[in-house]
Amino acid sequence: MIKTNLSILALIISAQVTANDEPQDLERILVTGSRIAESIDEIPSSVTIIGQKELAAQLKVTTDLQSILAMYVPGIASSSGTSSNFAQTLRGRAALVMIDGVPQSTPLRNGSLGMRSLDPHVIERIEVIQGATSIYGNGAAGGIINYITKKPATNSKFSLNTTASTQFSAVKLDDSAGLKVTTTASGEIDDFSYIVSLGIENNGVLRDAEGDALGTQYGLSEAKSRNFFTKLSYDFDADKSLQMTYNYFESQQDSAWVDVIGDINKGEKTYAIKDAVSTPFNAAPQGPRGNHNLQIKYTDAEIFSNTAFNLDVYKQSIENVFFYSTVLANPDLNLAGGQSLIKSEKQGLRSVFNTLADWDNVEATFIYGVDILNDTTSQPMVDGRLWVPEMDMVNVAGFLQSKWVIQDDFIVKAGLRYENMDIEVNDYNTLKLCRSADQCSVPKAVKGGTIEFTATTFNVGFRYNANQAFTPYVSYSQGANIPDLGALLRSATVQDIALIQTEAAIIDNYEVGFVSEFEQFRFELSAYKSFSDLGSRSVQDPKTGIYITQRAPQKIWGYEGVLNYTFNDQWDLAATYGYVEGKHSNTGNYLGAREVSAPKGTLALNWQPTTQARMSVHYIHVSDRDRFEKNDKGVYTGDEGPVNGYGIVNLSGSYDFDQWSVFAGVENLLNKDYFPARSQALTFRAFNVKGIGTTVNLGVNYRF
């Protein structure tokens, strides 16, 4: 007999983290993995949730979301002082970054800038699904990173929370002091609830362990960030509600510092010096000029018998400006260099139905709906030239996911998604670019057209929860991923886009793992393999000159472990480890650092001696990875540099009294002088920058 079970669903959905300051434990609830709220214990795959407790500890040290993700997510490469998430992948493949399910990544022209897209102080938690997934469609070949924003406080009509902090280099104070202030108001009045937050951050100059300023390309020195966030919600009755969320984020670096270029093959770092005379006179500030996210969501807990309904419409737009480069010169136009920017506008609609049913010892959940997305992306130059023409994509997808709980302990999940994508490109001319007066590309007139993609992807998983001491799971999932189309179009050497091979790749992901839980101990271990018949990189055919998607199949494999141990009421420990490796299957050659990062482990030790005092020590260790040989000139090229291991220690603490809290954090406590893993492996000069030296963050929080 089918019976209504919506009260349980409503209870799960209502279990929200509010905007007050006390960290709340919602680690058992997940919304990203299947588009509805569900228990993490019913998911047959690896999941990482960075909750309020973890975020609060990390934000005492740094506001850099990429560093926070690297600390808690196995496999994400270590990062330091950069706005670019280039080569920060999930399991060797690109991740889809979202805010409340709204995509921030720009897969049509992947600039690897999506991770840093909002102020972390407005984040309730971060949900990370590792491995290819068809739940959200294109761009999620490696998984999903979803920033879940805060909900309004429901315990008062008005509450206020203000945090102010300053960050500075302990190695060399000059020009390094910065300031960050975030104020949040929140409350509930009858059926209406609200939260409004304003954040302002002005960075000083970031310095390495020797006191030198970090390089400016993809840099954060002297960046000025602004964030405005609001979420308004109205409950029509116990079942129906309407919610509007808006977030605006900008972060631009406008600096008179210029780079002294190094060479990672010689161990020479790229660093910056203050030299206003050498600063390009027409250089625009780099970074997002403005990232707008608007989302309106309607929820009905029982739109018809046993069925809940969610409908949300959204709009996202961004202009992300890159650094000034002499490689983008054109002497014919009297241009010694240039800057490009990625312009992207997305608007979409998502409808999700959730039907529940019970038959004796079987509980079934069916999640189904339609996604519609219009994504318009281009890459013009700041000076008005056009590098990548406008790509106008319409994506319509239907999906069905099901979950079966058999006799409470055996869980089966299965589903499919059908994608239909049309991308229109008008006729365009490739851009003439000159590395020198005598070395220029030849512009080409290219006929546009419509590129069509269709794909059906599947997923199935099993989990057995009978014994907490050993809960095994196994899963198979697919993801459909189009190539970086913009990179192909801007480098075209043919006269018709129909001659540029742009076929979508299907990624097959296999995973097996288990969770062991005891009274004070939790351990999770997972192993995975993924295969892509088309690979994920674009190369130029030397015979035809046509840029094509890498035809050689790729395989990526690895394992991840997560451990949590609570010693007593005062002490607890968390640790992660991630190992990933990959090869081109037909040649046996290893994949470079664009896809595969060096092995990484992290350790977090937390101490709470009293209810008012907290202290945390975080350690991140990167191991060696040396898979490639030098070229004929005796140097490493591309993304094939060797990585030498290193370890970094961070420290943070806080003390609460009355309505006040004071906190302090130290990044790179021991002032380790090192090149981050990406700086070692990526030989491109924009990345040859050392990690941040000892940096102190001091702050105060007031709430009422």
Side-chain angles (χ1 to χ4, degrees):
M1 181 180 68
I2 299 176
K3 63 182 181 180
T4 302
N5 199 21
L6 292 173
S7 59
I8 297 176
L9 175 65
L11 178 63
I12 293 176
I13 294 175
S14 65
Q16 308 284 8
V17 172
T18 62
N20 57 28
D21 295 294
E22 293 300 320
Q24 302 185 33
D25 185 10
L26 283 183
E27 294 186 355
R28 316 306 293 180
I29 304 301
L30 184 76
V31 299
T32 301
S34 62
R35 307 279 286 269
I36 66 165
E38 64 177 338
S39 170
I40 195 173
D41 295 330
E42 295 181 349
I43 299 173
S45 60
S46 180
V47 175
T48 299
I49 296 182
I50 305 175
Q52 276 290 293
K53 178 182 176 181
E54 293 81 11
L55 279 171
Q58 283 294 297
L59 288 174
K60 295 179 179 70
V61 177
T62 179
T63 59
D64 182 9
L65 276 169
Q66 292 156 231
S67 296
I68 294 172
L69 287 165
M71 181 68 213
Y72 290 109
V73 182
I76 289 188
S78 177
S79 174
S80 180
T82 176
S83 62
S84 171
N85 51 267
F86 185 74
Q88 285 189 296
T89 62
L90 286 177
R91 296 184 171 179
R93 304 189 189 277
L96 179 64
V97 180
M98 303 186 296
I99 299 176
D100 293 328
V102 176
Q104 307 300 301
S105 305
T106 56
L108 292 179
R109 174 70 277 271
N110 186 5
S112 300
L113 298 169
M115 285 187 184
R116 193 171 181 271
S117 52
L118 81 169
D119 183 343
H121 281 89
V122 304
I123 297 175
E124 170 192 294
R125 67 187 185 277
I126 305 174
E127 299 177 350
V128 182
I129 308 296
Q130 289 100 320
T133 176
S134 60
I135 300 297
Y136 287 91
N138 182 52
I144 298 167
I145 299 172
N146 196 9
Y147 301 133
I148 308 297
T149 57
K150 289 183 176 179
K151 307 296 189 299
T154 57
N155 53 359
S156 67
K157 292 184 177 180
F158 179 79
S159 65
L160 186 69
N161 184 310
T162 299
T163 300
S165 62
T166 181
Q167 186 182 65
F168 55 88
S169 171
V171 182
K172 186 177 180 181
L173 181 60
D174 295 359
D175 301 309
S176 70
L179 175 67
K180 179 171 177 59
V181 179
T182 301
T183 297
T184 302
S186 181
E188 181 181 41
I189 304 171
D190 297 327
D191 296 323
F192 173 76
S193 58
Y194 67 93
I195 179 172
V196 180
S197 179
L198 177 64
I200 299 174
E201 183 173 18
N202 295 333
N203 286 349
V205 173
L206 305 184
R207 298 187 178 275
D208 62 24
E210 297 177 312
D212 292 323
L214 301 189
T216 63
Q217 297 184 11
Y218 297 117
L220 296 175
S221 290
E222 296 188 334
K224 295 178 173 60
S225 303
R226 305 289 183 265
N227 197 95
F228 173 75
F229 166 75
T230 185
K231 182 175 290 183
L232 310 175
S233 181
Y234 182 79
D235 295 330
F236 298 101
D237 53 39
D239 292 334
K240 302 177 184 65
S241 65
L242 184 68
Q243 178 180 278
M244 187 277 289
T245 304
Y246 175 74
N247 193 85
Y248 171 82
F249 175 75
E250 67 175 42
S251 179
Q252 294 206 283
Q253 181 192 50
D254 190 5
S255 176
W257 294 70
V258 297
D259 288 346
V260 177
I261 303 300
D263 185 344
I264 194 65
N265 277 285
K266 299 177 181 179
E268 299 173 353
K269 67 183 179 185
T270 293
Y271 62 98
I273 59 174
K274 200 166 189 177
D275 184 4
V277 176
S278 300
T279 302
F281 74 94
N282 58 344
Q286 62 173 305
R289 288 177 171 173
N291 184 14
H292 301 264
N293 282 271
L294 174 65
Q295 182 182 41
I296 299 175
K297 178 178 290 187
Y298 173 76
T299 301
D300 189 337
E302 190 167 13
I303 192 170
F304 51 82
S305 180
N306 302 302
T307 300
F309 174 66
N310 285 298
L311 175 69
D312 71 88
V313 293
Y314 61 87
K315 184 177 178 62
Q316 188 260 354
S317 64
I318 189 170
E319 290 189 0
N320 228 320
V321 182
F322 289 89
F323 55 85
Y324 184 91
S325 173
T326 56
V327 175
L328 301 175
N330 188 333
D332 294 344
L333 301 176
N334 198 28
L335 295 173
Q339 290 172 274
S340 69
L341 67 148
I342 291 178
K343 295 180 63 176
S344 177
E345 293 188 2
K346 304 183 187 73
Q347 49 193 351
L349 177 148
R350 294 179 302 198
S351 61
V352 181
F353 293 88
N354 174 30
T355 298
L356 306 178
D358 281 354
W359 296 282
D360 295 330
N361 293 322
V362 178
E363 297 179 4
T365 303
F366 302 95
I367 306 162
Y368 49 97
V370 175
D371 293 342
I372 301 173
L373 169 64
N374 176 221
D375 181 350
T376 304
T377 300
S378 62
Q379 189 175 13
M381 303 292 291
V382 172
D383 54 40
R385 292 177 289 167
L386 183 64
W387 197 6
V388 175
E390 187 174 272
M391 299 164 286
D392 189 351
M393 180 185 77
V394 175
N395 183 4
V396 179
F399 62 91
L400 169 64
Q401 299 290 323
S402 66
K403 179 173 67 176
W404 306 79
V405 181
I406 303 170
Q407 295 184 336
D408 295 327
D409 295 325
F410 189 63
I411 296 158
V412 181
K413 296 189 74 173
L416 59 86
R417 180 183 177 94
Y418 175 75
E419 301 273 1
N420 189 313
M421 290 177 275
D422 290 338
I423 305 174
E424 292 186 2
V425 180
N426 293 329
D427 298 348
Y428 70 99
N429 294 314
T430 60
L431 190 63
K432 180 179 180 180
L433 300 176
C434 300
R435 293 181 176 270
S436 67
D438 301 324
Q439 188 180 11
C440 298
S441 63
V442 179
K444 179 75 67 174
V446 182
K447 181 183 178 181
T450 300
I451 303 170
E452 298 179 353
F453 296 105
T454 59
T456 302
T457 54
F458 304 89
N459 61 274
V460 61
F462 306 91
R463 182 175 177 127
Y464 190 59
N465 288 342
N467 188 345
Q468 282 192 329
F470 182 71
T471 303
Y473 62 84
V474 60
S475 67
Y476 166 73
S477 60
Q478 290 183 312
N481 201 53
I482 64 174
D484 187 340
L485 184 59
L488 294 175
L489 296 181
R490 74 184 188 184
S491 304
T493 58
V494 294
Q495 294 180 335
D496 193 327
I497 64 169
L499 300 176
I500 305 174
Q501 189 170 8
T502 56
E503 186 179 352
I506 300 296
I507 294 91
D508 295 295
N509 185 77
Y510 302 85
E511 180 176 355
V512 60
F514 69 89
V515 179
S516 292
E517 289 193 61
F518 301 93
E519 186 173 344
Q520 297 171 281
F521 175 85
R522 185 181 190 277
F523 177 69
E524 180 174 350
L525 181 66
S526 60
Y528 59 87
K529 278 189 176 182
S530 68
F531 301 88
S532 175
D533 55 347
L534 295 179
S536 59
R537 298 175 64 179
S538 300
V539 297
Q540 188 179 35
D541 186 336
K543 295 182 179 180
T544 64
I546 300 174
Y547 276 79
I548 60 173
T549 302
Q550 179 74 53
R551 298 300 302 185
Q554 293 179 351
K555 60 180 179 181
I556 296 175
W557 67 93
Y559 58 89
E560 299 166 348
V562 179
L563 180 149
N564 296 93
Y565 186 78
T566 302
F567 297 94
N568 50 46
D569 292 338
Q570 295 183 347
W571 293 89
D572 67 83
L573 176 72
T576 73
Y577 183 78
Y579 174 89
V580 58
E581 193 54 88
K583 287 184 176 182
H584 294 283
S585 301
N586 62 340
T587 64
N589 295 332
Y590 284 98
L591 298 178
R594 293 187 187 210
E595 291 94 1
V596 175
S597 60
K600 183 199 68 180
T602 67
L603 189 69
L605 180 63
N606 303 302
W607 179 41
Q608 188 171 354
T610 69
T611 56
Q612 294 83 22
R614 301 176 183 86
M615 181 171 288
S616 298
V617 178
H618 293 88
Y619 176 71
I620 184 167
H621 178 79
V622 175
S623 300
D624 297 348
R625 184 176 188 253
D626 186 359
R627 299 297 193 188
F628 306 99
E629 302 292 333
K630 296 179 179 180
N631 66 9
D632 295 340
K633 297 181 180 179
V635 297
Y636 294 99
T637 59
D639 61 348
E640 297 184 350
V643 175
N644 296 316
Y646 57 88
I648 303 298
V649 178
N650 298 333
L651 177 68
S652 67
S654 64
Y655 188 84
D656 302 333
F657 54 96
D658 297 328
Q659 295 172 303
W660 294 85
S661 176
V662 293
F663 61 88
V666 183
E667 184 173 3
N668 194 357
L669 177 68
L670 304 179
N671 200 37
K672 177 72 174 180
D673 186 13
Y674 73 105
F675 283 99
R678 293 193 306 164
S679 295
Q680 297 183 58
L682 303 176
T683 63
F684 318 113
R685 66 180 188 174
F687 294 95
N688 298 344
V689 178
K690 285 195 171 182
I692 292 176
T694 300
T695 301
V696 178
N697 186 44
L698 301 176
V700 60
N701 176 267
Y702 175 73
R703 59 194 179 275
F704 76 88

